[in-house]
Amino acid sequence: MAAPSLSRGALSARRVLGGPGQGRAQARGCSTETPPAGPPHTGETPGSPAWDPPERARLRGREQRLRRQRLRRERDEEGAAGQEPRPLPKGWRPGEELEYRHPLEPGGKKATPSPLPPRYSPRYVEAAWYQWWERGGVFTPPEQSPGGAPVLSLVLPPPNVTGTLHLGHALSVTLQDVLARWRRMQGWDVLWVPGTDHAGIATQAVVERWLWQHRGLRPQQLGRAEFLQEIWRWKERHGDEILQQLRALGASLDWSRCTFTMDPGYSRAVTEAFVRLFRAGLIRRDQRCVTWSCALRSALADIEVEPRVLTGPTTLNVPNCPHPVTFGLLVTFAYPVEGDDGLELPVATTRPETIFGDVAVAVHPRDPRYLGRQVRHPFSGALLPVVSDPSVEPQRGTGAVKVTPGHSPQDLALARAHRLPLPCVIRDDGTLCPPGGGWLQGVPRFEARSRVVAALAQLGLFRGVQDHAMTLPLCSRSGDVVEFLLKRQWFLSCGDLAQRALQAVTSGRLRLVPKFHEKNWKTWMENVGDWCLSRQLCWGHQVPAFQVRGGPAAPSPRGGPGGPEGPEGPWFVGSSEAEVRGAAATALGCPQEELHLEQDPDVLDTWFSSALFPFAALGWPEQSPDLRRFYPTSVLVTGGDLLFFWVARMVLLGQELTGQVPFQQVLLHSLVWDSQGRKMSKSLGNVIDPRDVIGGATLQELQEKLQSRTLDPRELQTAQEGQRRQFPQGIPECGADALRLALSTHNAHGPEIRLGVASVLTQRRFCNKVWNGVGFVLRALEGEKGTPKPPEEVFPSSPLERWLLSRLAGAVAESCRRLESLQLQGAAAAVQSFWLRSFCDVYLEVAKVSLQSPELRPAVLATLVAAAELGLRLLAPFAPFVAEELWQRLPRPHPAPPSICRAPFPDPQKLAGWRSAELEAQVAAMLELVRAVRGLRETFRLGGAARPPVLLQLPDPARDWLEPLGAAFQTLSGAGPVRLLPPGAGPGPGWAGAPAPSGTFVYLRIQGLVEPGAARAQLGARRISLERRLRSLPGTAPHAQAALVRAELARLEQALQALETPGDPPGDPPGDPLSPPRTP
């Protein structure tokens, strides 16, 4: 048939440039983003004890942050393309980094006796430590477990060998490393197995693109053997990049057990697994519809198919297609009914090019109009039956559907139920091969689409086109539109395996964290289908199945090494060709030398080999010492998006092949998005190499790294533009510890983690705080002699020292409790709260004064050393580099382990004697008084040198515990003389007051420190600004926002009243002194 031209009546058919997706496809619902909640309403009102100025400042800051987040989301919704370049991250001053230049000690250890640098520099701190740990075998478990130590074993989810890690990988690595370092410090035997995955489709696609870009060659021009050599050469050039990224992150992996899924030993395990599953009757060869990439010419795994929801006509660029293609259109055409002039049966489809594969038209059994009739194919002239099937919905569309079994799983099931033929009219490369349609032979599918519609219009059978919501499947590896093709492949039956996997979770043998994943696990396992194992690639584990070519053909015995027999001929499965040849000769009754065997050229799905990783990496199928000692593994940490694609398959195969669940619990963490709430995507330019955050990178370096990747030119241009907008000044050097802390402190159990460079810089500032805190301790120890006693044996008598150790013991207990339950963000928060809120912000400030007293100095030094040493051990799993650097410089009791990695993690039971809830409550109340005084100082803009007198009005019980803390209160608040005001008494003129919790009140003497006229003008201006802000709040604003502003106004009114009251002549303040004056 000649290619027809487009007739006048078919002008609307010009729109038809769509793609695959059945005509019955529906648009899936889109979830809406929940707006963030406002500041929490605590039930407190302005003027209540807890409504102090610092609390108001905190809530005001939170309100401003929420507003900025809302505005940022609104800008993002308007389109990122129009965004101005983001400003330089606050706190980044390039050119300040220090480098370690001292010679290393024997064994590669850093020279820690050298002076401590005056400021924290990640480049200095993180130099040389990892190599020393690795050289010293710190990460390798002992061959013999002394005293039967408990075991923690886990495997690193193997990343693609030719890829690079991004921040999502860094999150998974950090969480695993925290658990490994924590248990190792607790004396456990820890094995963390590293490895990389050969990543069949991903790696082959990258090498194919590289060959075309650099040498102008296609794999078909090289042949299978030479192309495989190219892939191996590529792996040798780029395979170590991921391993270097892991080292830069500080991952404490046992490198002596590093595994690659194409290693000879691992390949034997893959072959053995296939053979065992085949002999168990779980693997069979069958003809079914598979998801197919025409660009890659291979079947795809589920995870490699990305559904794209279309709400209507959408134009996309498709690989190997010279023009954009429009999808989201529904074409209706008519089949003439045979034997009845004028009667027609209309059908609708999004894929009119598949009309050559139609074998019938289906209607509902209750639709009697067409039952028993036939329709004539408009191009081939063949008569197609009209069949009835209850799956057809008569009220939907035209009430009839075309049956195309070669390109639709649903149609294939219907065709087999009605014993219809199963033609396939699209080749592996996406070109048409229609019987009876020679004018479209070899025409690409989307070009054929418009030609088919034009031909239908010329024949008078085109009935229109309409917008259609649908879900379009796309190949994540190539961007190609996925086809459904009828193929003979190897399939694994998953029904019985899934029931056992479901029972493992319901019985508690396998624990999923967070628990809400159990519902999804149950749904998936109850609806799992068979797993297609075949991939039409060169790179991977070749299917260990052989077909007999020539010679006698007889069925092989079931249950043996032989295989199913079909139209292709007999297949036999075995661990080697020699084994298969012997089995085939026995089954066919002929000499082995007469058999010509041909191995299946397909390779196995990458997810099949990676599903064996927890036990194959430990030596399976051999009963190796590692397998007996470390399997099943203790915990698996991976992204929640891999629950079904990898975790479920590991459980399916692990239980079948080893008889055990491969791990006891699974931590499924959140996905990492950028700070704007977007998924990491190469096309957005927001996929960040962790090393660029650790060591810093200029914009030019980021752009050069993109150019070194094998990206499509259009994708490269978009990614570079995204980088210019997001990182106009590059990425500052933050360090591995800061990146690890930023990842650890986010809630990994939530929906997603929004991570930006600013949050990593915040953690760098935390590291600097720890650096300065321990540096103060080291300077205080200068000139001191002797060896400190073990920290657990330090029991000071003064209240603030006892409070600090009580807070440390509480942080240890909370951290251990959180780590046990895999709530790592809670553990990290406990550690940081101790260092910031207790050690640095409170105790060090008081210690600066206390160390000047000869009577107090010994107890203060002992407390400083004990708290710093234990605090660094507490910090070590999260920030190992800075913890090691500082710990090595602190004096320690003998004998001490060589590295903090082997130092004992603080034991909450041994520190239980430090705990004092009563003392912690008393100091907390004292700190509230300090905040009240600081709030008054802030209100009147008193400088740091001012030491105004302070009056405290307290209930009688509070006086007893506050007096021992008087010196600390005076130091922290910057107060002058502190006196107690009797209940009911007033301070008199010249004093400004503020409430504090528990019925206390604080007064600050402002007379002589504040110039009334200037202060009155400044406070009045702030009041006008707040009143304007209160009037501008919308009626729907959260209650806490309005309460926040009103509280600020009330505080300003009190301050203004204090300025209006005339002051007394200078003299002694009223009340009794709280404590003797401070020792200078």
Side-chain angles (χ1 to χ4, degrees):
M1 176 178 177
S5 60
L6 186 64
S7 65
R8 178 183 177 89
L11 291 178
S12 62
R14 293 181 184 272
R15 303 175 60 203
V16 183
L17 296 171
Q22 296 303 307
R24 300 185 291 275
Q26 293 292 308
R28 299 178 182 175
C30 299
S31 61
T32 58
E33 183 179 0
T34 304
H41 177 53
T42 61
E44 298 163 353
T45 58
S48 66
W51 198 268
D52 57 274
E55 178 68 9
R56 285 194 295 271
R58 186 184 68 80
L59 290 177
R60 182 171 65 252
R62 179 175 180 179
E63 177 192 353
Q64 293 171 352
R65 286 195 303 274
L66 291 174
R67 180 175 179 273
R68 289 195 298 269
Q69 291 172 4
R70 184 179 69 253
L71 293 176
R72 186 163 56 246
R73 283 195 301 272
E74 291 173 355
R75 289 196 302 268
D76 292 342
E77 292 171 359
E78 293 173 359
Q83 293 286 321
E84 293 295 326
R86 304 187 71 183
L88 190 72
K90 184 178 179 181
W92 181 31
R93 295 188 296 272
E96 294 184 350
E97 305 303 334
L98 304 175
E99 294 190 13
Y100 181 83
R101 300 185 181 278
H102 302 284
L104 298 176
E105 296 179 357
K109 184 181 177 182
K110 290 175 74 172
T112 50
S114 59
L116 186 73
R119 62 179 180 270
Y120 170 74
S121 171
R123 190 178 307 176
Y124 179 96
V125 170
E126 296 169 10
W129 283 123
Y130 194 91
Q131 293 79 3
W132 181 64
W133 292 331
E134 189 177 348
R135 189 179 297 113
V138 172
F139 308 148
T140 302
E143 293 184 6
Q144 299 295 330
S145 178
V151 169
L152 174 74
S153 59
L154 63 166
V155 296
L156 178 76
N160 294 355
V161 67
T162 59
T164 55
L165 301 182
H166 52 67
L167 294 182
H169 296 105
L171 171 64
S172 182
V173 170
T174 298
L175 298 179
Q176 293 171 78
D177 194 46
V178 169
L179 294 174
R181 289 178 178 273
W182 168 55
R183 289 302 194 191
R184 193 179 290 116
M185 293 177 70
Q186 285 188 323
W188 289 38
D189 290 344
V190 175
L191 175 63
W192 186 16
V193 180
T196 51
D197 189 85
H198 66 280
I201 287 183
T203 301
Q204 182 162 326
V206 167
V207 177
E208 285 183 6
R209 194 179 303 122
W210 183 86
L211 282 172
W212 177 250
Q213 291 178 356
H214 292 81
R215 296 171 57 185
L217 293 175
R218 298 292 187 190
Q220 295 81 0
Q221 298 173 260
L222 296 177
R224 184 182 185 117
E226 188 174 348
F227 180 57
L228 280 175
Q229 292 179 0
E230 289 289 344
I231 298 179
W232 276 108
R233 283 193 285 267
W234 176 275
K235 186 263 179 187
E236 294 303 320
R237 290 196 301 268
H238 301 279
D240 288 341
E241 186 170 1
I242 284 178
L243 308 185
Q244 297 309 315
Q245 287 180 299
L246 292 169
R247 289 180 167 92
L249 282 166
S252 57
L253 293 150
D254 183 358
W255 295 106
S256 66
R257 291 174 167 88
C258 189
T259 302
F260 176 48
T261 54
M262 289 286 284
D263 287 341
Y266 200 99
S267 297
R268 286 194 298 271
V270 174
T271 298
E272 181 66 20
F274 188 94
V275 172
R276 291 191 186 187
L277 293 169
F278 175 78
R279 291 174 179 172
L282 294 173
I283 291 180
R284 62 190 299 265
R285 190 168 176 83
D286 199 3
Q287 187 180 32
R288 305 185 191 180
C289 268
V290 298
T291 51
W292 186 269
S293 169
C294 297
L296 300 175
R297 300 190 187 186
S298 174
L300 299 174
D302 296 340
I303 195 174
E304 291 153 348
V305 178
E306 294 181 350
R308 174 81 175 268
V309 177
L310 308 181
T311 58
T314 305
T315 301
L316 301 175
N317 292 310
V318 180
N320 303 324
C321 191
H323 307 292
V325 182
T326 301
F327 301 90
L329 297 174
L330 189 66
V331 176
T332 302
F333 68 92
Y335 269 114
V337 177
E338 184 68 13
D340 194 335
D341 293 340
L343 183 62
E344 64 182 27
L345 182 52
V347 295
T349 179
T350 59
R351 307 171 66 193
E353 70 277 9
T354 62
I355 187 174
F356 298 99
D358 291 356
V359 296
V361 177
V363 298
H364 194 272
R366 295 181 182 177
D367 188 350
R369 295 174 296 168
Y370 308 104
L371 293 181
R373 308 295 293 271
Q374 292 179 311
V375 296
R376 187 169 295 278
H377 197 284
F379 300 128
S380 68
L383 291 176
L384 309 181
V386 178
V387 299
S388 64
D389 195 273
S391 65
V392 180
E393 302 178 30
Q395 289 80 27
R396 188 174 180 182
T398 65
V401 296
K402 59 195 287 290
V403 180
T404 317
H407 304 285
S408 165
Q410 297 85 0
D411 291 0
L412 177 61
L414 191 152
R416 282 178 169 164
H418 292 274
R419 300 181 181 276
L420 298 171
L422 309 176
C424 188
V425 297
I426 298 179
R427 295 190 182 95
D428 294 352
D429 62 355
T431 59
L432 264 65
C433 53
W439 55 284
L440 288 179
Q441 287 285 347
V443 176
R445 51 187 168 152
F446 299 127
E447 182 181 342
R449 177 170 297 180
S450 58
R451 296 192 189 183
V452 167
V453 174
L456 289 170
Q458 186 179 26
L459 295 173
L461 299 176
F462 177 71
R463 295 296 177 263
V465 59
Q466 64 189 70
D467 298 348
H468 181 66
M470 60 180 292
T471 300
L472 187 70
L474 300 176
C475 173
S476 64
R477 301 298 182 186
S478 64
D480 192 18
V481 177
V482 170
E483 279 291 346
F484 289 104
L485 296 187
L486 191 61
K487 291 286 184 180
R488 286 191 174 273
Q489 309 278 268
W490 296 97
F491 292 88
L492 175 65
S493 177
C494 297
D496 293 339
L497 303 181
Q499 290 304 311
R500 291 163 57 191
L502 177 59
Q503 197 273 336
V505 170
T506 56
S507 66
R509 291 186 294 115
L510 175 61
R511 176 172 167 247
L512 302 181
V513 179
K515 191 176 177 62
F516 65 78
H517 287 293
E518 292 182 5
K519 181 179 179 181
N520 298 331
W521 182 271
K522 181 176 184 294
T523 300
W524 193 82
M525 290 300 174
E526 290 178 344
N527 298 277
V528 66
D530 289 351
W531 177 4
C532 176
L533 302 179
S534 302
R535 297 293 179 269
Q536 290 64 42
L537 304 170
C538 298
W539 178 243
H541 302 99
Q542 196 167 351
V543 178
F546 296 77
Q547 188 178 19
V548 177
R549 296 289 191 180
S556 58
R558 291 295 299 169
E565 183 185 16
E568 299 176 298
W571 285 89
F572 295 86
V573 171
S575 300
S576 65
E577 182 176 351
E579 177 186 338
V580 170
R581 184 173 296 276
T586 301
L588 300 177
C590 66
Q592 295 187 22
E593 57 272 14
E594 294 183 8
L595 294 176
H596 175 64
L597 299 179
E598 183 176 316
Q599 187 172 1
D600 190 339
D602 291 351
V603 300
L604 292 169
D605 181 11
T606 299
W607 294 103
F608 180 82
S609 56
S610 62
L612 312 177
F613 199 80
F615 46 95
L618 297 175
W620 186 91
E622 305 297 331
Q623 286 299 312
S624 66
D626 278 356
L627 190 67
R628 289 192 297 268
R629 183 180 176 190
F630 297 109
Y631 186 81
T633 59
S634 308
V635 62
L636 175 75
V637 180
T638 188
D641 57 330
L642 295 182
L643 176 61
F644 307 125
F645 302 120
W646 188 46
V647 178
R649 291 172 178 179
M650 283 189 285
V651 176
L652 296 180
L653 298 187
Q655 289 196 113
E656 176 64 25
L657 295 171
T658 70
Q660 295 175 291
V661 178
F663 22 73
Q664 300 165 14
Q665 52 186 347
V666 183
L667 173 57
L668 297 152
H669 61 71
S670 315
L671 301 182
V672 177
W673 293 1
D674 68 11
S675 58
Q676 302 177 48
R678 302 176 301 175
K679 290 185 177 180
M680 299 293 181
S681 169
K682 293 178 183 177
S683 61
L684 293 176
N686 61 356
V687 176
I688 303 175
D689 184 338
R691 291 174 300 180
D692 293 335
V693 180
I694 294 171
T698 65
L699 177 61
Q700 181 180 355
E701 290 170 340
L702 295 174
Q703 302 266 286
E704 291 175 353
K705 185 174 291 189
L706 271 180
Q707 292 174 356
S708 68
R709 304 296 179 192
T710 55
L711 298 177
D712 178 83
R714 287 177 297 185
E715 189 178 46
L716 174 62
Q717 182 179 359
T718 305
Q720 289 179 329
E721 180 59 32
Q723 282 186 343
R724 282 191 289 269
R725 288 196 306 270
Q726 193 168 7
F727 310 113
Q729 305 295 330
I731 299 176
E733 179 176 334
C734 300
D737 285 332
L739 177 58
R740 291 166 61 102
L741 286 165
L743 293 165
S744 301
T745 52
H746 282 81
N747 181 15
H749 296 188
E752 77 273 345
I753 291 176
R754 297 189 178 190
L755 184 70
V757 174
S759 63
V760 186
L761 281 172
T762 298
Q763 297 303 327
R764 171 175 169 156
R765 286 189 279 270
F766 166 78
C767 294
N768 185 68
K769 193 95 170 181
V770 175
W771 182 268
N772 291 336
V774 178
F776 172 82
V777 177
L778 293 173
R779 289 189 295 273
L781 291 171
E782 291 177 357
E784 298 291 331
K785 298 181 179 179
T787 302
K789 64 174 64 176
E792 295 83 358
E793 299 178 9
V794 174
F795 287 94
S797 58
S798 56
L800 203 64
E801 278 70 37
R802 291 192 293 114
W803 167 82
L804 179 67
L805 297 183
S806 178
R807 294 288 293 169
L808 176 55
V812 170
E814 177 68 5
S815 181
C816 289
R817 184 180 70 84
R818 294 282 192 164
L819 288 170
E820 290 282 357
S821 59
L822 300 182
Q823 298 176 353
L824 277 71
Q825 77 281 3
V831 175
Q832 290 196 315
S833 177
F834 166 76
W835 274 102
L836 292 175
R837 307 288 174 247
S838 302
F839 188 80
C840 293
D841 290 353
V842 176
Y843 187 74
L844 286 188
E845 296 302 316
V846 178
K848 292 174 183 177
V849 177
S850 301
L851 285 172
Q852 300 177 33
S853 169
E855 295 81 9
L856 302 177
R857 183 178 178 85
V860 174
L861 283 177
T863 304
L864 283 172
V865 173
E869 200 272 341
L870 277 178
L872 288 175
R873 282 194 261 156
L874 188 63
L875 178 65
F878 300 94
F881 293 102
V882 70
E884 184 78 82
E885 180 79 29
L886 295 174
W887 185 82
Q888 292 284 350
R889 298 172 182 271
L890 281 173
R892 301 182 299 278
H894 299 295
S899 168
I900 197 173
C901 300
R902 291 293 186 182
F905 194 79
D907 187 344
Q909 294 182 352
K910 293 182 179 179
L911 304 181
W914 286 352
R915 299 296 301 271
S916 174
E918 180 182 10
L919 180 59
E920 289 193 36
Q922 292 170 358
V923 175
M926 182 269 290
L927 293 176
E928 291 293 343
L929 298 176
V930 170
R931 294 187 186 99
V933 174
R934 289 176 175 176
L936 289 171
R937 296 174 64 98
E938 178 188 359
T939 299
F940 292 101
R941 300 291 195 263
L942 298 183
R947 291 291 183 266
V950 171
L951 292 178
L952 301 178
Q953 200 166 49
L954 310 170
D956 289 336
R959 299 185 175 212
D960 297 334
W961 58 257
L962 184 58
E963 185 168 353
L965 297 171
F969 169 78
Q970 198 173 8
T971 299
L972 294 171
S973 62
V978 181
R979 303 178 73 90
L980 299 179
L981 191 64
W991 296 81
S998 305
T1000 60
F1001 221 86
V1002 173
Y1003 296 96
L1004 188 73
R1005 180 85 173 192
I1006 61 173
Q1007 184 179 0
L1009 298 175
V1010 174
E1011 199 286 310
R1016 194 177 297 112
Q1018 177 252 331
L1019 294 174
R1022 289 165 61 188
R1023 180 176 61 181
I1024 293 173
S1025 176
L1026 286 172
E1027 289 172 344
R1028 186 183 302 115
R1029 181 181 175 191
L1030 183 63
R1031 289 193 300 269
S1032 67
L1033 286 176
T1036 57
H1039 172 75
Q1041 291 186 17
L1044 178 80
V1045 178
R1046 293 190 183 99
E1048 287 285 323
L1049 284 170
R1051 182 171 64 88
L1052 290 180
E1053 289 295 341
Q1054 292 176 359
L1056 286 168
Q1057 290 177 9
L1059 290 173
E1060 296 296 336
T1061 305
D1064 293 334
D1068 291 336
D1072 302 323
L1074 174 64
S1075 59
R1078 296 181 303 170
T1079 302

